[in-house]
Amino acid sequence: MSSSETTTDHKTIQKWAEKRDGKPAVIRTSEKGGVLRIDFGEKEEEFDEIGWGEFFKIFDENKLAFLYQDKTRDGKTSRFNKFVERE
């Protein structure tokens, strides 16, 4: 069975993303900062790659938490992640 975790710890998030070759990115919107994403592999056209400093500034300003999965049901490395409101 696979399970997910939620964290606001910057080091945990960065380590999880980098282990999967993920890079911090944002989709620019009319909202403050934009919509955060972790970009894996080939750059998505609508994603603007940003540094971790800007990424975590937007993350904290919007009071987000990072929901993620470490392994899939069959034990492979998972890239599932989602940004959610902090409780």
Side-chain angles (χ1 to χ4, degrees), residues 13-26:
I13 297 166
Q14 185 172 349
K15 184 178 174 182
W16 181 92
E18 289 176 345
K19 183 178 178 184
R20 292 156 177 79
D21 295 322
K23 295 180 177 48
V26 66

Side-chain angles (χ1 to χ4, degrees), residues 35-85:
V35 178
L36 290 180
R37 293 287 185 257
I38 303 289
D39 195 12
F40 300 99
E42 209 168 304
K43 185 183 176 304
E44 296 280 340
E45 187 175 317
E46 65 272 8
F47 291 3
D48 287 337
E49 193 172 313
I50 58 176
W52 285 111
E54 182 179 357
F55 180 90
F56 288 121
K57 181 178 183 221
I58 295 167
F59 181 80
D60 289 334
E61 284 176 350
N62 289 287
K63 295 181 175 67
L64 297 173
F66 185 66
L67 175 70
Y68 65 101
Q69 183 182 54
D70 216 25
K71 300 280 183 191
T72 62
R73 191 174 295 177
D74 60 0
K76 294 181 182 175
T77 300
S78 176
R79 294 192 320 188
F80 172 79
N81 71 91
K82 185 176 181 180
F83 295 94
V84 298
E85 289 184 25

